Amino acid sequence: MYMCAPRARRAGQRREPPLTVHHLNQLLFVCSLVLLVAVAAVRISSRSGLPSLLVYLGIGVLMGQDGIGNIHFDNAEMTQVIGYAALVVILAEGGLGTKWKEIRPALPASSVLALAGVAVSVGVTASAAHHLVGLEWRQALIIGAVVSSTDAAAVFSVLRRIPLPSRVTGTLEAESGFNDAPVVILVVAFSTAGPVEHWYALLGEIALELVIGAAIGLAVGWLGSWGLRHVALPASGLYPIAVMAIAVTAYAAGALAHGSGFLGVYLASMVMGNAKLPHWPATRGFADGLGWIAQIGMFVLLGLLVTPHELGDDVVPALVIGLVLTMVARPLSVVLCLTPFRVPWQEQTLMSWAGLRGAVPIILATIPMVSGIEGSRRIFNIVFVLVVVYTLIQGPTLPWLARTLRLGKDPEADDLGIESAPLERLRGHLLSVAIPEGSKMHGVEVNELRLPAGAAVTLVVRGGTSFVPLPTTVLRRGDELLVVATDPVRDAAERRLRAVGHGGKLADWLGTDGADAR
């Protein structure tokens, strides 16, 4: 609980003054100052190669009872609730940014890694925690389950400047989106009072919850994307809000149906992210901003929850468990799960080292605290130290390892930026097309686009000047086009534009139809 003011007034004590506008102004000032510092920390983390989570955790620790802020905060239940809410937003943002064409080839391997890989990691890590550190089996199993979940935000904040092959990024991204669900179920089961019986029944429960969550997530995502594409909202700013509301609905519906809400929100967001929604760039930017706010608030709160002076006795156990997790459990799970898919050893090596732990393990470590499990505070401290230390070690070395293994992405044409706005009364769509650097649309004449009947380029903006193009107007990189298309040919027009952007005016003969382009 927040300890700056007592919850109840004892007899004879002075009544606390009511909350005033002045107090609210002070709170808003502190929150905005923390947010500005955290945003500035993004630049520091990008230059240093460190995941931003470490900076945000540091801000929370500095504000805590052992820091300059001297804020006493120990409400694990509230931290868990806020952490779950933030995780929903983060998974929604990650799903919206997942490209189906990249994740589809890696889907079988990432699914096996997210399920069987978690089982291997839990078993190896829990055995090390029991035999090497001396934790009793329940505590060891909880720690093994908690640290088995990878964090995509931590991984890609480091690898953002080094493009990787789509199979690597697709596998890592899908794994981090899928493995939260089984890990949450395991941690809750191990944190339940009483003995854990019938492990085979637990596996069946995990499978059932995953199936329910996946079905609800896919259904909500499809219905939501269909509705957003066929109903014109009165303001463009409502589309980003509607997308996030649909994503949260998928989580809530999955959880209420006793399924995996986390898997539901990720899949629903992924469906909407690949459905060519209206005003997509604005929606993507809005989701990205919400994701940053969720990460900042969650990490600062987790930093407040930790008590630094209590961590001394748990540093060595955390280092031992983390060493086994990083050097044995993670590589073993990657080799066992990905070798049957003939993944090259270079990619397996990188994915073994890229199993960063971020916000999710620290949030999950609050579950045994809320459940009142014996030694839960020590579990939280061990997980906190493990995440900080090994993220500090793995994060800066990931780019170097990727370069050493020569895992670079083959250069390809940048995708077009296409934003669609429905014109409900006119039964059409207005497509705003931005031609990026490297696009094969550079040098193509307007008539060579060969748009379907019912679609036409009506305006070109070049160097701040707009003009109506002729059929022989040559398009250039940096141009912005306005394309009007009727409802029946809207999808075909966008596919054709993306095809030309990737394959040039000979896209049809080169086998580039743009069907999978996004």
Side-chain angles (χ1 to χ4, degrees):
M1 60 174 287
Y2 184 70
M3 300 298 293
C4 287
R7 295 181 62 182
R9 181 172 56 89
R10 295 181 181 178
Q13 287 186 339
R14 185 178 59 183
R15 182 185 299 273
E16 295 293 334
L19 183 65
T20 64
V21 174
H22 178 68
H23 293 133
L24 178 61
N25 292 337
Q26 288 180 324
L27 179 62
L28 290 176
F29 175 77
V30 173
C31 292
S32 61
L33 184 61
V34 171
L35 190 59
L36 287 174
V37 172
V39 171
V42 176
R43 182 63 176 172
I44 299 175
S45 64
S46 63
R47 283 181 173 271
S48 62
L50 296 177
S52 55
L53 72 91
L54 295 180
V55 182
Y56 305 147
L57 284 173
I59 293 174
V61 172
L62 286 176
M63 293 173 59
Q65 57 180 325
D66 287 349
I68 58 177
N70 197 29
I71 298 176
H72 293 257
F73 179 84
D74 62 357
N75 194 329
E77 186 173 3
M78 186 174 74
T79 303
Q80 179 184 333
V81 172
I82 295 177
Y84 270 38
L87 186 56
V88 169
V89 175
I90 293 171
L91 285 173
E93 189 273 332
L96 291 173
T98 299
K99 294 184 178 180
W100 175 245
K101 66 177 182 179
E102 292 185 358
I103 200 176
R104 181 175 56 186
L107 198 56
S110 59
S111 300
V112 173
L113 188 58
L115 297 175
V118 163
V120 173
S121 182
V122 170
V124 174
T125 307
S127 298
H130 176 71
H131 294 292
L132 299 181
V133 179
L135 297 179
E136 60 100 9
W137 271 114
R138 180 184 292 274
Q139 297 174 353
L141 287 171
I142 291 175
I143 287 183
V146 163
V147 299
S148 295
S149 180
T150 58
D151 190 278
V155 173
F156 291 108
S157 66
V158 176
L159 296 179
R160 189 177 302 157
R161 294 170 298 172
I162 301 180
L164 294 172
S166 58
R167 179 165 60 177
V168 175
T169 57
T171 301
L172 288 172
E173 190 169 351
E175 180 204 7
S176 63
F178 294 158
N179 65 10
D180 290 340
V183 166
V184 170
I185 298 172
L186 286 175
V187 175
V188 172
F190 294 150
S191 301
T192 303
V196 179
E197 299 178 350
H198 307 305
W199 62 269
Y200 51 86
L202 181 59
L203 294 179
E205 179 182 352
I206 292 175
L208 180 61
E209 291 195 19
L210 292 178
V211 170
I212 294 175
I216 291 178
L218 293 173
V220 171
W222 184 85
L223 290 174
S225 59
W226 183 88
L228 289 174
R229 294 184 64 191
H230 290 81
V231 176
L233 298 177
S236 61
L238 292 176
Y239 284 91
I241 299 175
V243 168
M244 295 305 297
I246 293 170
V248 174
T249 300
Y251 169 80
L256 291 175
H258 302 287
S260 173
F262 292 118
L263 182 59
V265 67
Y266 182 76
L267 291 179
S269 302
M270 186 171 64
V271 170
M272 291 189 291
N274 290 271
K276 304 180 181 69
L277 298 180
H279 303 289
W280 175 247
T283 300
R284 188 71 185 92
F286 178 79
D288 191 47
L290 279 186
W292 276 110
I293 292 176
Q295 288 188 58
I296 292 171
M298 178 175 55
F299 289 137
V300 171
L301 194 62
L302 291 171
L304 281 174
L305 187 62
V306 73
T307 306
H309 72 263
E310 297 179 355
L311 300 177
D313 295 336
D314 299 317
V315 171
V316 174
L319 294 178
V320 172
I321 295 174
L323 184 63
V324 174
L325 172 67
T326 305
M327 305 305 296
V328 180
R330 173 67 179 181
L332 182 61
S333 63
V334 169
V335 170
L336 292 179
C337 296
L338 298 186
T339 299
F341 295 95
R342 299 180 180 179
V343 177
W345 69 267
Q346 295 94 334
E347 297 181 6
Q348 291 190 28
T349 302
L350 182 65
M351 285 188 275
S352 297
W353 192 247
L356 291 179
R357 272 68 192 171
V360 177
I362 305 179
I363 294 173
L364 296 181
T366 63
I367 295 178
M369 296 176 66
V370 175
S371 302
I373 297 298
E374 183 181 356
S376 59
R377 188 72 195 190
R378 188 186 185 196
I379 293 175
F380 180 86
N381 291 340
I382 289 176
V383 172
F384 186 89
V385 173
L386 187 155
V387 168
V388 171
V389 171
Y390 283 93
T391 301
L392 191 62
I393 294 174
Q394 292 175 267
T397 57
L398 274 173
W400 169 83
L401 181 61
R403 290 191 297 268
T404 302
L405 296 174
R406 298 181 179 178
L407 290 176
K409 188 175 182 180
D410 296 332
E412 59 181 21
D414 294 334
D415 193 16
L416 294 175
I418 300 181
E419 181 174 356
S420 173
L423 306 173
E424 188 174 31
R425 293 184 179 180
L426 302 179
R427 300 186 180 221
H429 289 264
L430 181 64
L431 305 180
S432 175
V433 183
I435 304 178
E437 293 291 334
S439 175
K440 297 292 184 64
M441 192 176 288
H442 174 76
V444 175
E445 295 182 1
V446 170
N447 61 350
E448 292 175 329
L449 292 175
R450 298 202 309 279
L451 296 176
V457 179
T458 59
L459 196 69
V460 174
V461 180
R462 178 179 298 167
T465 302
S466 58
F467 60 92
V468 177
L470 299 173
T472 56
T473 298
V474 178
L475 302 177
R476 303 294 182 189
R477 61 176 64 92
D479 286 353
E480 294 185 18
L481 318 179
L482 289 183
V483 179
V484 176
T486 59
D487 273 340
V489 301
R490 185 263 187 201
D491 290 342
E494 182 169 347
R495 284 197 299 270
R496 178 58 191 168
L497 289 169
R498 294 190 185 278
V500 176
H502 280 269
K505 57 187 175 183
L506 300 179
D508 288 344
W509 290 275
L510 295 176
T512 306
D513 60 2
D516 295 330
R518 173 98 186 115

